[in-house]
Amino acid sequence: MVKRLSQNAGRALSADLFNKLASSVPSILFAFWQGPDGKSQAFPYISDHVLHRFGIEPEMLKQTAEPLFALIHAEDLPGVGDSILESAHDFEPWQCRARLRLPDGSYEWFEGHSRPERQADGSIVWYGQFFNVQHYKDLEKELRASETEHSFQAGFQKLVARLSSEFINQGFGTIDECIGKLLQSVGQFFGMDRAYLYAFNDKYTAITKTHQWRRPGVTALVDKDETIAVDAFDCWRERLLAMVNENRQVPGEDRDDNLSGVEVVHDHSPSADAASVFCVPVRVQGRVVGFLGLDSLAPRDWRGDLGDLLTIVSGLLSGALERNLLEEQLLSQSIRDPMTGLHNRRYLMPRLNELVERAERYDENFTIAMIDIDHFKQINDSTGHLGGDYTLRHFAEIVTDLVRATDVVARFGGEEFIVVFPGTEQASVRQMIGRILNAVRQGHFVFDRRLIPVTVSIGVASARESEDHMMSVDAVIGRADHRLYLAKQAGRDGAVDVSGPMGL
C-alpha cells in the first residue's frame, strides 16, 4: 500500500503530518521534542485538532510547548512532568492522563501515549497521540445497548486499541506488515471472507490492489499490485466514484442490487463472486486516495454502524500512511543535499563501504569520479551567490541526466561532487567522463540573462588498481582527489585517471 499510495496519490499526501485525518478519529497526533538540556521543549508536529479543541495554533507549538502545558490542571501538571522525565530516563513508552482546560474554561480528561526516539544530537522525540477520555467513555456507553452488543463493542475497542498501538510503535519500514495484520484482524473480527486495500490513481480511472487477506479456502482476489480500470465495473463504478466524491461508505448486496460489476473487482472466475461487499474510503488531506473493503461469499445484513466502525479503522490506517510518508520524506531529507537534491555524504559513505566489501568478497570493482567546478569562486564573485547556487543546481541536473540509474551522484562538499560507477568497465567510465565534460562545456548556464562559462576538472580512481594491497574508501577517495588536483594543474577542463590525463 505504501508504494502504491506514494506513486498514485503521493500528491495528495502531505509532509504536514496527519493534518487532515478522517473526522471520526478524535486523537491529536504529535511529535514532542525535548532538547539535550532537558529543558527546551516543543512540538515539531501536532495535528490541527489542537486548534479546533484548544484554540492553539500548531505553528506556535513548533517554537515552544508552553502554551499547551499551560492548559494542564495545576494538580495534574507535576505528574505530567514526572512521566516525561521517567520516559526520558528509562526510554520506555510514555503514558499519562491529565485534565486540560478547554476554551470555555471547563476541564476534560485527556490521555496520551507515545514512544521515544533518541536523536543524534542527544535530543529526544516522542511520537504519539492524546485523546479525550470522555469521548471513548461516551462511545462505550452508547454501544452498550445489550450484552451481545457490549461484548461486540468491547472486542472492537480492544481491536482498535491494539491496532492503534501497533501503528504507533511500528518501526520504520514495517508499514506493510502492520497493514497486513490490520486486514487479517478486521476480516476475522467481522467474520468476513476477504479484506483488502485498493489505491486509486490520480485521475480515479483505475484502482490497484496493494494489500489483501483471505480466509483459508477462499479464492484469492486479483493478484497483488494488479491494476484494473474503473470503467470496467458498470454499476460498481458509480458507487466507487460516489465514495470518492461524497466520502461515503459503499455497501452492496450482489443478488439484491444486481451489482453485476462486483465480480470484476475480484477474480473473473465465478467461484470468486462475493455476495456482499462493503467499502470505506481511505481519506487523506480531504482527498480519497484508496479504499478498505470487506467481502462475504454469503449474503448478509450489514450492521447499521459498520461504516462508522470501519471509518475508525480507516482513520488509523490513514494516520499510519501519512506518518510513514513523513518518515520517508525526513529520511530522504537527511540523506539529500537541499541545494541540489543530490545525495550527500551521509548517504555516500555507507554506500562506498558496501561497495568496498563487495569488491573484497566477490572480486568486483567500482570507479569513482571526483568532479570540481572550475573557478567557482569567480562565478560567485561575478554573479553573486544566487548565481553560484544556480550553477550548482544546473550542473547537478546535467550529471543526473547522463548517468545510469545504478550510478550514484552525490555532492561531496562546496563545488565538489562524486559520481560512483559500480561494476562498470573502464572503457564505459571513460566514455561517461567524456560525456560529462562535453555536456558541461555546452551546458548553457544562463543566470539573470547572463551566460556563465562553466567547465569542470575530474579525478578518476577505481577500487582495484595495480598498486592496491588493501582496499578502503579513504584510499579510493584519496587517489581520486589527488588526480583531481593533477587535472587542475594540467589546465582544468579535463580528467586524470590511473594512466594520466585522459585526453577527452
Side-chain angles (χ1 to χ4, degrees):
M1 184 66 179
V2 175
K3 177 181 178 183
R4 286 296 173 181
L5 284 183
S6 296
Q7 292 178 347
N8 297 335
R11 297 180 181 87
L13 298 173
S14 169
D16 183 15
L17 179 62
F18 305 136
N19 277 347
K20 297 289 185 179
L21 275 175
S23 59
S24 61
V25 180
S27 303
I28 298 177
L29 306 175
F30 66 85
F32 174 70
W33 171 85
Q34 179 172 278
D37 58 3
K39 298 179 181 179
S40 305
Q41 296 174 331
F43 288 89
Y45 169 78
I46 190 165
S47 58
D48 285 344
H49 284 305
V50 74
L51 173 62
H52 305 324
R53 191 168 293 275
F54 301 112
I56 302 177
E57 291 284 352
E59 289 295 324
M60 183 183 302
L61 294 173
K62 289 183 179 180
Q63 306 302 319
T64 173
E66 185 57 33
L68 187 58
F69 279 95
L71 301 181
I72 301 175
H73 196 285
E75 296 177 1
D76 303 329
L77 187 57
V80 174
D82 291 343
S83 66
I84 295 174
L85 290 176
E86 182 178 350
S87 177
H89 181 269
D90 298 337
F91 227 67
E92 293 293 331
W94 172 81
Q95 180 174 344
C96 188
R97 181 177 291 196
R99 288 164 290 181
L100 274 73
R101 188 175 68 250
L102 303 182
D104 63 3
S106 64
Y107 282 86
E108 288 189 7
W109 284 97
F110 285 79
E111 183 172 322
H113 302 265
S114 66
R115 60 178 177 85
E117 289 186 4
R118 190 177 302 279
Q119 309 300 301
D121 61 358
S123 63
I124 302 176
V125 177
W126 283 264
Y127 297 96
Q129 64 177 340
F130 63 93
F131 50 84
N132 187 309
V133 176
Q134 188 61 41
H135 170 85
Y136 288 97
K137 289 182 177 179
D138 292 343
L139 178 62
E140 182 180 7
K141 181 179 179 181
E142 177 184 350
L143 298 178
R144 284 181 176 173
S146 65
E147 281 300 319
T148 302
E149 185 65 13
H150 168 65
S151 176
F152 174 89
Q153 293 298 341
F156 179 75
Q157 290 180 34
K158 184 176 180 180
L159 172 68
V160 171
R162 177 172 60 81
L163 293 175
S164 178
S165 176
E166 288 179 356
F167 276 127
I168 288 175
N169 294 294
Q170 75 181 61
F172 181 70
T174 63
I175 183 70
D176 286 302
E177 179 182 346
C178 290
I179 292 175
K181 290 180 179 179
L182 178 143
L183 294 179
Q184 178 179 356
S185 298
V186 172
Q188 291 176 341
F189 181 82
F190 288 103
M192 304 305 294
D193 294 304
R194 303 185 187 93
Y196 44 82
L197 201 57
Y198 276 88
F200 285 105
N201 66 354
D202 291 336
K203 297 181 179 180
Y204 298 108
T205 58
I207 58 174
T208 301
K209 182 169 58 58
T210 61
H211 296 78
Q212 62 181 320
W213 167 85
R214 60 189 174 96
R215 185 170 52 79
V218 175
T219 305
L221 298 176
V222 292
D223 293 336
K224 185 176 183 295
D225 291 337
E226 183 172 345
T227 298
I228 306 173
V230 173
D231 285 341
F233 294 157
D234 299 331
C235 297
W236 187 241
R237 174 183 181 276
E238 297 179 8
R239 297 195 175 196
L240 288 178
L241 295 181
M243 178 175 63
V244 172
N245 298 326
E246 303 172 24
N247 190 32
R248 72 187 191 196
Q249 303 90 19
V250 182
E253 296 295 331
D254 196 12
R255 62 176 63 183
D256 294 336
D257 295 341
N258 191 27
L259 207 56
S260 59
V262 170
E263 65 268 18
V264 184
V265 179
H266 316 302
D267 194 301
H268 293 280
S269 168
S271 63
D273 291 347
S276 299
V277 180
F278 201 106
C279 299
V280 293
V282 178
R283 190 176 178 90
V284 178
Q285 202 183 20
R287 184 175 185 269
V288 175
V289 296
F291 61 88
L292 170 68
L294 299 177
D295 277 4
S296 174
L297 298 184
R300 63 185 295 169
D301 294 327
W302 299 110
R303 293 174 55 91
D305 61 351
L306 180 61
D308 295 332
L309 298 177
L310 290 181
T311 298
I312 293 175
V313 176
S314 173
L316 294 174
L317 182 58
S318 297
L321 290 170
E322 287 201 352
R323 172 193 155 186
N324 185 80
L325 179 65
L326 178 63
E327 288 178 337
E328 288 184 338
Q329 291 171 337
L330 292 175
L331 176 62
S332 177
Q333 291 172 9
S334 72
I335 62 174
R336 293 280 181 180
D337 168 49
M339 172 66 68
T340 62
L342 299 177
H343 288 299
N344 57 22
R345 283 197 185 198
R346 181 176 293 180
Y347 174 87
L348 174 67
M349 300 310 288
R351 179 70 176 131
L352 288 175
N353 279 311
E354 292 174 5
L355 290 174
V356 166
E357 291 179 3
R358 290 190 61 86
E360 292 178 336
R361 180 175 301 179
Y362 303 112
D363 196 29
E364 295 178 351
N365 194 18
F366 68 90
T367 302
I368 70 170
M370 180 171 284
I371 307 174
D372 186 270
I373 298 178
D374 296 329
H375 303 299
F376 186 73
K377 184 177 184 302
Q378 294 181 14
I379 295 175
N380 264 338
D381 291 343
S382 61
T383 64
H385 286 288
L386 291 180
D389 292 346
Y390 158 77
T391 302
L392 293 173
R393 288 193 296 269
H394 190 40
F395 169 77
E397 292 170 358
I398 290 174
V399 176
T400 302
D401 288 342
L402 288 175
V403 301
R404 305 168 304 174
T406 54
D407 300 330
V408 178
V409 184
R411 185 180 180 188
F412 197 63
E415 65 272 23
E416 285 190 341
F417 299 80
I418 283 183
V419 182
V420 184
F421 304 98
T424 307
E425 297 294 333
Q426 292 301 311
S428 298
V429 172
R430 292 177 65 89
Q431 186 178 44
M432 181 59 68
I433 297 301
R435 289 177 181 173
I436 292 174
L437 289 169
N438 287 327
V440 174
R441 293 175 190 134
Q442 303 169 14
H444 197 64
F445 290 77
V446 178
F447 177 77
D448 198 19
R449 294 183 295 183
R450 176 180 177 181
L451 181 64
I452 306 173
V454 179
T455 60
V456 295
S457 299
I458 304 176
V460 183
S462 297
R464 292 192 172 278
E465 294 184 356
S466 58
E467 71 271 18
D468 281 344
H469 298 289
M470 293 186 63
M471 283 180 286
S472 72
V473 172
D474 289 343
V476 180
I477 292 178
R479 288 198 298 269
D481 188 41
H482 175 67
R483 291 163 188 170
L484 171 62
Y485 170 78
L486 295 178
K488 287 186 172 293
Q489 289 293 102
R492 296 181 170 84
D493 190 19
V496 173
D497 63 5
V498 65
S499 61
M502 298 175 68
L504 300 171

